[in-house]
Amino acid sequence: MNKTETLDFLKKLVDRAIAFGFEEAEASFSSDSHMEINIFEGEVSSYENSNTSGIAFIGKKNGQMGGASTSDFSDESIEYILKSSMENCEVKDDEDEDFFYCDPDNSHLVNDERSGHYDKNTYNRFSQLGLKLEQDILAISPDIKAVDYLSISCCCGPTYLANSKGLTMYKDGDLVFVMAEARAERDGVVKTGGHFWAGHNIDDFDEAKFLQKVGNKVLGKLGASSIESGSYKVVLDKEAFVSLYDTFESNFSAYSMQKGLSLLAGKEGEKVASDCFTIREEPMYKDALLKFPFDDQGVITYSKAIIDNGVFVKALHNLKTANKEGIPSTGNFFKGIKASNLVVTPGNKSFDEILETVQDGLYITELNGLHAGVNRISGDFSLFCEGYLIKNGRIERPVEQITVSDNFYDLLKKIEEVGGDLEAVEEGVGEYFCPSIVISEMNIAGSNEEEG
């Protein structure tokens, strides 16, 4: 079915649901085409080319919402999802009402981000690139013994939605990904490291830059040892800061605050971070791979500060949490309340200038155990980490076997400086755009005595 036929089908399904007994209803159709190859030891070890599609339905009855989905488009299947959704409504007892939405001025929403380059993503193109890339990674250094994982993949597919309020939505786009992880060994010590690239056009893949990243991330770990336990000034690498912030991002949602799961509840307009720290949501950010002109509920998104010069500006809302507080939604429902394309306002100093300012401290590049070593409510965390010792304003040597312990809320207040080395990190809804972050002090548990 084409776009018009698909939306007409969904509208008929919604009309059928109203006749079935639902007060309001919403139906969506999504299709996903995916191709992936994996390279291992000079061969294409696996190849997948798939296309999946399905219908999802949500109906509202007596203030409760129930849903079901199917990949079967028969009349029998449609009757089944309507019946199942009605049964779900009857057993639910949520005191906070859910809503369907349609802005009369924005009732027909379209976000078509198809690049026009997707046809370049062929098996032959991917396999040739992958086999060459594996060889080139191995050639970076004799210390690199293997490429344990190398994947090249792409995906595309439209999503259509229609509801009984009169809203129709259409979204489409495509992406291509390259991911590799290498293994290095020196003096019996094994280290791994890798890199990830995403784009719209496989022609934009810069192999030289990718190889440099992989080499730095794996070879830079060789010769690492612990450091003496203590309090250190820390430069958090952009990827490390993003992984930490993303772990606690749910604390900025109104849902978490209303449920007593976030210490930010009631702190809008208050100082929660350092003066030099600003993080904004920029759904239509010019450098982002994906743009988000509206959220999954059909609410128009907009640029906004979450923390502005240290002040917590506003909680993120969907329709349900906003209604509970009698305010409009902030347009932040993306299969949960989340921000799209977060941007940390950069400073002016290069990475080398940041190191020069710090003089002596620790540069943390990786935080491990984020799913186990954090308390999302209190903000406390204790995580294994890796990085480099900073001496006299320069990277001196790699560091391992250390643990960093702190509190997320305290860390925001201890941000001393924000670097100017802004880069995209693929995480969350869209991307984060983040520079290096200097923390005035963090507690590090290492060895009793610094090893040479």
Side-chain angles (χ1 to χ4, degrees), residues 207-229:
E207 189 195 30
K209 186 176 180 180
F210 189 88
L211 291 171
Q212 183 181 27
K213 290 279 190 179
V214 172
N216 290 343
K217 288 184 177 181
V218 64
L219 296 174
K221 297 179 180 181
L222 294 172
S225 58
S226 189
I227 56 175
E228 186 177 358
S229 299

Side-chain angles (χ1 to χ4, degrees), residues 307-324:
I307 297 176
D308 187 13
N309 295 124
V311 175
F312 176 38
V313 179
K314 189 174 185 60
L316 305 178
H317 284 271
N318 64 7
L319 291 171
K320 185 175 183 177
T321 61
N323 177 74
K324 193 170 182 177

Side-chain angles (χ1 to χ4, degrees), residues 405-423:
S405 300
D406 215 306
N407 179 278
F408 175 70
Y409 298 109
D410 292 341
L411 180 141
L412 292 178
K413 295 174 182 176
K414 292 190 294 184
I415 295 175
E416 193 169 271
E417 192 163 7
V418 177
D421 52 339
L422 193 74
E423 284 188 14

